[in-house]
Amino acid sequence: MSTQTTHRDFRLIDSTLRDGSHAISHQYTEDDVINIVKGLDAAGVEVIEIAHGDGLGGSSFNYGFSKVDEKLLIARACEATTNAQIACLLLPGIGIADDLREVRELGVNVARIAVHCTEADITEQHIKVAKKLEMEAIGFLMMSHMSSPEDLVKQALLMQSYGADTLYIADSAGAMTTEDVRRRVNALVNALEIPVGVHAHNNLSMAVANSIAAYEEGAKNLDGTSAGLGAGAGNCPTEILAAVSTKYGIETGVNPLALMDLAEEIVRPMMPRQQVIDRAGLILGYAGVYGSFLLHSQKAAERYGVSQAEILLELGRRKVVGGQEDMIIDVALELARAHAAQEGQ
Amino acid sequence: MFKMLRSDVLDLVALVGIDPDSDGLKRAKGLGLLAPHEGPEWVLDPGNNIDMIFDATSAYVHVRNAPKYREAGIVAVDLTPAARGPKVIPAVNLYEHLDSMNVNMVTCGGQATTPIVYAIRRAIDELPYAEMVSTIASLSAGPGTRANIDEFTVTTSAALREIGGASTSKAIIVMNPADPPIMMRNTVFGALPEGSDHDAVIASILEMVDEVARYVPGYHLKNEPVIEEGPFNTPGGVVPNRVVALLEVEGAGDYLPPYSGNLDIMTAAALRVGEAISIHKSGATA
């Protein structure tokens, strides 16, 4: 249904098969991937991202092992799509350049290179490899609520200088207000020559509003996931973003009703839990803690008989960044020890 | 440099640089050392009579000079990721490469975690999979490391297999920009197959931490190692349990601040290796 002539005011990138992977503890099967890709493709979504939730090579003790090898899932996605481009995400330090080479062979043509918002210089190698492989390279600054608009601009300019085609900021903790998003996007749009994008999370129930605000400030790319499936309290739900955009008269080029069908009939039935903003999800946004810590901290709380909320608040105090999931065990053990000492008194 | 000045075995004669105005060279001069800025040329000059060099340049520079040092009969302890010579982790294989003219110190994360992987391995029949996660303060990661971060993960992961004894492995590095800077943290996960003796695994880890702490005083466990229940679908097969060791490395604070434990563990391990080679060689010639 989508044609080259479709007008789009912004480009929608769907991350159900990457960020959504966190919410199902990386248990996607080949059939899940085929069904979701077909649904998104038919609805007119231009770019579909797929990888382990922590990016290529993320399958590990620290982040959870994938049920099915992500390269196999990516191959199925590339076969299942007709119009949509297939994207991947890579965090330098977790995945390596060879991962990009492998998925390029499979047919992936967009590479998002993600990094904590102050560490852009570690992406140079991978952005350049992506460009050499003739992929679109998207620089992706995570946890961007932790940096000022001015500091984000400095980091974004580095990525632009390495050859990034697009620059994204991610509200990985779902911690930003609409004003926070506006100031950041405005500064980036004014400073960069390349288009800007925003990846929103819903911990403070702001994901859709923040995405629309980003668009109004000049963002040309927005992320969503079907039914909001994603780390923490979930992402900006693709079908709601499409519906709200239509209400605003913003042309998305996607069919909101087809996206609603996909969310209702394919994605919701396979979700182990619906994407709600419960106490833990809200605390992530409130304390500014990386969203994918949600399920790992729940498990650690159960294992060591301590409070999940206390774990998350302590992680916030320690200013841990994405990737430091091992610190969840560290904090849980310390809390358990403190409790035992108190009871001993 | 400060660690070497304290060595009873090695006689530090020079700190060699390429920038005459560098802070390090000025300090070396202030301590009465030679501080030439002619780089490898100076080291290779026979008139300067150098027996051993600790090379902390870059992989590129080391690859170019390694054959020259070898020809000149100079032992090279390589702190870059060049990996020209065998990898050495003092607590595991210190005595295996004493006759080598070039030894490689792997990576900071490799020095911190390979001993623990080896300790897990020696307590069980087979270690199907091991994983390490290193988090270092952004300020302590130099531009060389940052520009080529894959070198760190690939080299470290190989050390977990080749020296640690794991069948499969993964290495992860995370930079944390928090202010004040964090201490270097290293976490080791080991896959424990059915029937593993958990008490033996933990005892072996505790013993190894003491062993490493003998040459890296700031090396310690943040918590007792724990055994967690899975199952875990690792690349080496499904296992019922994992062991988790949470380590911290506090730098000695000689020249660099204490949060630079990543640099400290490299220099401390390199010194240990240099001393062992030196003792071995003097014993051989005596």
Side-chain angles (χ1 to χ4, degrees):
Chain A
M1 58 160 293
S2 89
T3 65
Q4 306 88 307
T5 54
T6 310
H7 172 75
R8 301 169 193 268
D9 288 325
F10 67 85
R11 178 172 68 166
L12 199 154
I13 299 184
D14 184 279
S15 186
T16 310
L17 291 169
R18 200 280 301 166
D19 209 328
S21 175
H22 287 295
I24 61 160
S25 302
H26 318 292
Q27 300 299 296
Y28 275 128
T29 64
E30 291 172 75
D31 282 344
D32 295 337
V33 167
I34 292 166
N35 291 335
I36 293 170
V37 166
K38 285 190 167 163
L40 291 168
D41 189 36
V45 172
E46 266 187 297
V47 182
I48 299 170
E49 183 179 62
I50 172 166
H52 182 283
D54 292 87
L56 298 175
S59 181
S60 58
F61 271 131
N62 207 30
Y63 310 124
F65 291 106
S66 300
K67 179 173 183 173
V68 179
D69 185 336
E70 65 186 346
K71 306 271 162 70
L72 195 59
L73 298 179
I74 290 169
R76 291 295 92 82
C78 292
E79 291 157 13
T81 183
T82 309
N83 294 314
Q85 289 186 297
I86 302 297
C88 67
L89 180 115
L90 180 140
L91 277 74
I94 298 176
I96 60 176
D98 282 346
D99 292 318
L100 287 179
R101 295 187 182 99
E102 275 182 55
V103 300
R104 182 70 183 114
E105 291 281 303
L106 297 174
V108 172
N109 38 27
V110 180
R112 299 217 281 189
I113 310 299
V115 72
H116 184 75
C117 58
T118 54
E119 311 296 310
D121 57 353
I122 69 172
T123 64
E124 179 174 5
Q125 184 184 16
H126 303 85
I127 288 178
K128 287 185 171 163
V129 168
K131 289 317 298 171
K132 214 172 190 173
L133 293 168
E134 298 182 335
M135 301 168 95
E136 178 185 350
I138 300 181
F140 196 86
L141 293 168
M142 300 188 294
M143 298 287 273
S144 48
H145 73 282
M146 291 174 88
S147 277
S148 67
E150 297 71 35
D151 288 342
L152 284 175
V153 164
K154 284 183 203 149
Q155 298 288 311
L157 285 169
L158 284 177
M159 287 174 143
Q160 180 175 276
S161 76
Y162 305 148
D165 300 295
T166 298
L167 188 285
Y168 252 86
I169 53 170
D171 183 12
S172 316
M176 282 204 252
T177 62
T178 300
E179 188 55 30
D180 293 333
V181 173
R182 283 191 187 279
R183 289 174 50 228
R184 285 166 175 77
V185 172
N186 184 281
L188 289 164
V189 167
N190 285 327
L192 298 178
E193 287 160 24
I194 55 177
V196 172
V198 168
H199 172 97
H201 277 271
N202 206 32
N203 302 64
L204 298 178
S205 200
M206 302 296 284
V208 175
N210 284 351
S211 299
I212 297 292
Y215 170 79
E216 287 174 348
E217 296 295 334
K220 292 289 179 207
N221 299 266
L222 296 174
D223 275 18
T225 67
S226 189
L229 191 72
N235 292 54
C236 177
T238 309
E239 65 283 1
I240 302 181
L241 179 61
V244 172
S245 296
T246 307
K247 287 267 188 189
Y248 271 93
I250 304 168
E251 201 56 65
T252 61
V254 300
N255 179 348
L257 291 169
L259 289 171
M260 290 180 216
D261 290 346
L262 172 68
E264 198 68 19
E265 290 162 23
I266 307 283
V267 177
R268 286 198 194 280
M270 51 161 284
M271 288 165 67
R273 60 194 279 278
Q274 292 304 305
Q275 203 73 65
V276 295
I277 308 174
D278 56 10
R279 178 178 54 190
L282 178 54
I283 284 178
L284 290 168
Y286 187 60
V289 176
Y290 199 57
S292 67
F293 286 11
L294 182 78
L295 297 181
H296 298 292
S297 60
Q298 189 182 329
K299 207 162 225 176
E302 284 163 16
R303 266 188 185 128
Y304 297 107
V306 294
S307 138
Q308 184 186 10
E310 273 189 67
I311 295 177
L312 295 175
L313 289 170
E314 174 60 20
L315 290 167
R317 275 192 287 271
R318 288 192 189 185
K319 294 189 182 150
V320 295
V321 300
Q324 289 189 270
E325 271 77 344
D326 52 328
M327 288 303 108
I328 295 169
I329 305 173
D330 196 63
V331 168
L333 287 171
E334 277 176 21
L335 288 173
R337 214 166 43 206
H339 290 189
Q342 254 172 10
E343 275 164 30
Q345 280 174 356
Chain B
M1 175 171 74
F2 291 91
K3 286 181 190 67
M4 281 178 197
L5 287 171
R6 290 196 289 263
S7 171
D8 301 328
V9 178
L10 298 175
D11 179 21
L12 179 64
V13 291
L15 181 80
V16 186
I18 49 168
D19 173 7
D21 298 323
S22 90
D23 179 52
L25 291 191
K26 280 183 195 152
R27 282 190 183 229
K29 245 177 237 163
L31 290 162
L33 293 169
L34 296 174
H37 62 268
E38 292 87 2
E41 321 285 282
W42 189 90
V43 177
L44 289 161
D45 182 344
N48 291 320
N49 217 3
I50 299 299
D51 296 321
M52 183 180 285
I53 175 177
F54 292 84
D55 191 345
T57 55
S58 70
Y60 177 75
V61 174
H62 185 74
V63 166
R64 216 175 40 195
N65 292 309
K68 297 181 198 164
Y69 295 136
R70 184 184 299 268
E71 227 167 86
I74 299 170
V75 173
V77 179
D78 171 22
L79 286 83
T80 79
R84 294 288 105 172
K87 298 184 176 88
V88 178
I89 304 287
V92 181
N93 66 346
L94 178 62
Y95 301 106
E96 282 172 30
H97 302 290
L98 294 179
D99 288 314
S100 179
M101 288 301 289
N102 186 310
V103 290
N104 179 259
M105 299 309 299
V106 197
T107 61
C108 54
Q111 286 295 341
T113 59
T114 311
I116 303 303
V117 171
Y118 178 80
I120 299 167
R121 166 68 188 83
R122 73 183 172 191
I124 57 181
D125 292 335
E126 197 219 332
L127 176 55
Y129 174 74
E131 179 177 316
M132 64 80 73
V133 185
S134 243
T135 306
I136 60 177
S138 299
L139 279 177
S140 72
T145 307
R146 304 174 72 94
N148 199 348
I149 203 161
D150 281 10
E151 231 163 37
F152 175 97
T153 51
V154 172
T155 306
T156 307
S157 183
L160 302 188
R161 295 189 304 276
E162 294 164 13
I163 304 171
S167 307
T168 60
S169 62
K170 180 165 181 70
I172 295 168
I173 183 167
V174 181
M175 312 268 176
N176 182 310
D179 188 23
I182 58 154
M183 298 284 171
M184 182 198 196
R185 294 298 308 260
N186 293 281
T187 299
V188 177
F189 296 93
L192 302 179
E194 197 74 57
S196 300
D197 182 342
H198 296 170
D199 292 339
V201 168
I202 289 179
S204 178
I205 292 174
L206 294 176
E207 203 178 301
M208 182 56 85
V209 171
D210 289 344
E211 178 71 31
V212 177
R214 255 186 253 166
Y215 59 92
V216 190
Y219 184 85
H220 59 268
L221 282 164
K222 278 295 273 188
N223 286 287
E224 285 279 292
V226 287
I227 308 285
E228 295 189 334
E229 267 179 45
F232 301 99
N233 181 25
T234 82
V238 178
V239 296
N241 296 98
R242 70 180 182 190
V243 60
V244 189
L246 297 148
L247 299 143
E248 185 178 82
V249 186
E250 185 176 348
D254 282 333
Y255 173 55
L256 298 160
Y259 61 76
S260 302
N262 52 322
L263 305 176
D264 215 61
I265 192 168
M266 280 297 266
T267 52
L271 176 60
R272 178 83 189 87
V273 172
E275 288 182 340
I277 291 176
S278 170
I279 291 168
H280 174 74
K281 286 204 190 299
S282 59
T285 51

